[in-house]
Amino acid sequence: ARHFSCVKVLTRRASLDSATSVFLFRRFSEELHTRPRERDTSERERSQSVTAFYYQSAIDQAAAKSPDKSHILRSAQYLSKELPVRIAHRIAGFRNLPFIVGCNPTILQVHELYIRAFHILSNFPVITNLQGEEKYSDTLRQLLDDHKDVVTMLAEGFAQVRKHITDENLIRTFLDRTLTSRLGIRMLAEHHLSLHDEKPNHVGVVNIAFSPRRLIEKKAQYAKSLCEGKYGNAPNVVLNGHLNATFPYIQPPLDYILTEILKNSFRATVETHSSNGYNMPEIVVTIANNDSDFVIRVSDRGGGLPQKLVQKAFEYNFTTAGAVREDHDGGLFDSFVASPQSTPTPGKMHGYGFGLPTARAYANYLGGSLTMETMEGIGTDVYLRLGHLDSKSESFRI
Ligand code: ADP
Ligand code: COI
């Protein structure tokens, strides 16, 4: 059972202003992913957040941009308390791994990165002015960069130790938690850092006029160029459905999820139709947007996969990519939050079998779902379903 508190967000989409976006993002990041083992923090976060909900105008005021930049100062002060706690939970996670897993040099290296980050952040002097804030932001930027390869390292480490582990759940629980908590930490840090910028339609990492179509077009183009680079050929992507939909959303996790889904469809299509030359069936992406959620379906004619492998496909480190080491693709993920605009290193289509499980963990973390329907011999449909940030529905959890 997940320990979210469900709160109805009354904000109307039309009136979602800067302050509210920050408010939503804050609450969203504070409340997501609380769980029994972290009861102390979760109770604290929950009661704070629920109280905050009933005093929304106070929160709005506090979150509003202020000309003297005191909102940036407050944001840094908030993070300086929040991040060490979250990082401490990650360290506890590593400590609780079975000995044989925790001793793996690559996994140990990640464990040490978190211990180091904990010391750096918890020893940081109290932030009292904008100068202190600037130093803090520099430290955060550096840490984001130092941790950019964490997913690749975990993928590699777990690929090495997996043969010693019989309990699949143990690995899944650890990786789901570690990867989604990391996503939350990075989004919070990125959000803070981007409060310094004036980007049109953005409040921190919240894009208040997010267009699924534009993002899908961008990611499709990127995956296509990867595919052409690797196979010398690639199918087209066509979009349909609610092409003009725009709404507030946080783009970075979608960058990752969509890229992974599209790469899989490209790979399946090319590998199934390699003899067809330039006559490959296109990948069809459909967008459906409604008041409470939005759905993105990626349909390919890449031959599907046997029903018995569908569940396996969502296991960490399951891949049909063969020589795992050569083709790994962690770089893509790792660069996404650190510099969302940068083009990741080209050339990698698949790798450690982290794409689908990570994408699903992120979708769940965002309160949504990722499911796959496959027709062996024909193709695969992947559905990504996510709630709106300002959903009016009771079930939306932030
Ligand atoms: P990777 O792409 O690194 O292998 P993923 O977790 O993204 O890792 O996918 C795991 C496996 O699921 C793939 O190796 C492939 O066998 C299968 N798979 C995923 N998407 C598709 C698809 N659209 N069509 C056919 N098989 C797929
Ligand atoms: C990570 O990216 O792994 C983090 O936790 C980043 C944080 C140390 C700022």
Side-chain angles (χ1 to χ4, degrees), residues 83 86-87 90 110 113-114 116-118 121 136 139-151 154 178 181-187 189-190 333-334 337:
L83 293 186
R86 290 183 184 228
I87 291 171
R90 301 294 45 85
V110 180
L113 271 177
Y114 279 100
R116 174 177 171 269
F118 178 81
L121 290 174
Y136 187 73
T139 306
L140 275 187
R141 238 176 251 117
Q142 184 61 49
L143 282 172
L144 284 172
D145 192 57
D146 295 343
H147 282 238
K148 70 179 173 2
D149 296 326
V150 157
V151 180
L154 289 176
T178 304
S181 165
R182 174 178 185 267
L183 176 70
I185 292 171
R186 290 183 78 93
M187 286 202 298
E190 279 295 328
F333 167 74
D334 288 322
V337 175

Side-chain angles (χ1 to χ4, degrees), residues 63-366:
K65 284 193 178 184
S66 43
D68 64 353
K69 297 193 171 171
S70 61
H71 65 292
I72 297 183
L73 186 58
R74 278 194 302 273
S75 168
Q77 288 163 339
Y78 162 77
L79 279 193
S80 67
K81 291 207 183 72
E82 186 67 21
L83 293 186
V85 178
R86 290 183 184 228
I87 291 171
H89 284 297
R90 301 294 45 85
I91 295 168
F94 280 96
R95 272 200 209 134
N96 288 332
L97 282 171
F99 190 68
I100 187 105
V101 178
C103 287
N104 172 275
T106 319
I107 294 173
L108 194 57
Q109 220 180 321
V110 180
H111 186 169
E112 281 165 358
L113 271 177
Y114 279 100
I115 293 174
R116 174 177 171 269
F118 178 81
H119 286 302
I120 291 173
L121 290 174
S122 57
N123 293 333
F124 199 89
V126 176
I127 305 161
T128 53
N129 54 32
L130 286 171
Q131 255 171 328
E133 186 283 323
E134 216 159 290
K135 285 211 183 79
Y136 187 73
S137 286
D138 288 344
T139 306
L140 275 187
R141 238 176 251 117
Q142 184 61 49
L143 282 172
L144 284 172
D145 192 57
D146 295 343
H147 282 238
K148 70 179 173 2
D149 296 326
V150 157
V151 180
T152 316
M153 290 162 82
L154 289 176
E156 194 183 303
F158 276 90
Q160 289 160 359
V161 298
R162 198 152 240 300
K163 52 183 176 293
H164 305 300
I165 315 276
T166 44
D167 186 0
E168 186 62 40
N169 265 337
L170 191 142
I171 296 187
R172 167 182 304 285
T173 310
F174 173 82
L175 286 172
D176 279 353
R177 247 173 224 176
T178 304
L179 295 176
T180 55
S181 165
R182 174 178 185 267
L183 176 70
I185 292 171
R186 290 183 78 93
M187 286 202 298
L188 280 177
E190 279 295 328
H191 185 69
H192 174 73
L193 293 177
S194 49
L195 287 176
H196 291 269
D197 313 332
E198 288 294 335
K199 202 170 149 194
N201 286 332
H202 279 73
V203 183
V205 291
V206 180
N207 180 351
I208 54 177
F210 169 70
S211 154
R213 174 206 189 152
R214 274 204 298 276
L215 180 66
I216 294 161
E217 283 171 348
K218 205 167 112 194
K219 296 295 143 191
Q221 205 175 4
Y222 168 68
K224 188 172 180 178
S225 66
L226 276 187
C227 187
E228 280 166 345
K230 183 167 167 68
Y231 297 96
N233 198 2
N236 289 322
V237 175
V238 294
L239 274 75
N240 59 31
H242 294 143
L243 297 175
N244 295 326
T246 61
F247 45 83
Y249 209 72
I250 301 160
Q251 191 167 312
L254 293 189
D255 278 348
Y256 175 77
I257 297 172
L258 288 171
T259 306
E260 289 304 321
I261 299 172
L262 286 165
K263 280 194 307 175
N264 285 343
S265 287
F266 271 102
R267 175 189 164 212
T269 306
V270 181
E271 291 191 350
T272 311
H273 297 273
S274 53
S275 55
N276 280 10
Y278 288 87
N279 217 353
M280 279 183 291
E282 51 208 8
I283 297 166
V284 183
V285 184
T286 308
I287 302 162
N289 181 40
N290 61 61
D291 272 356
S292 60
D293 62 13
F294 64 101
V295 186
I296 297 172
R297 178 184 61 196
V298 179
S299 277
D300 66 55
R301 287 287 192 123
L305 73 168
Q307 191 58 34
K308 66 175 194 300
L309 287 189
V310 172
Q311 218 187 326
K312 285 239 148 222
F314 284 95
E315 281 178 10
Y316 287 100
N317 291 116
F318 173 84
T319 179
T320 51
V324 157
R325 292 297 307 268
E326 287 159 27
D327 270 331
H328 85 81
D329 188 19
L332 256 190
F333 167 74
D334 288 322
S335 55
F336 94 86
V337 175
S339 51
Q341 306 315 329
S342 74
T343 11
T345 13
K348 309 285 170 58
M349 277 296 286
H350 46 77
Y352 281 116
F354 257 49
L356 280 180
T358 307
R360 184 165 72 178
Y362 287 179
N364 292 342
Y365 182 75
L366 296 169

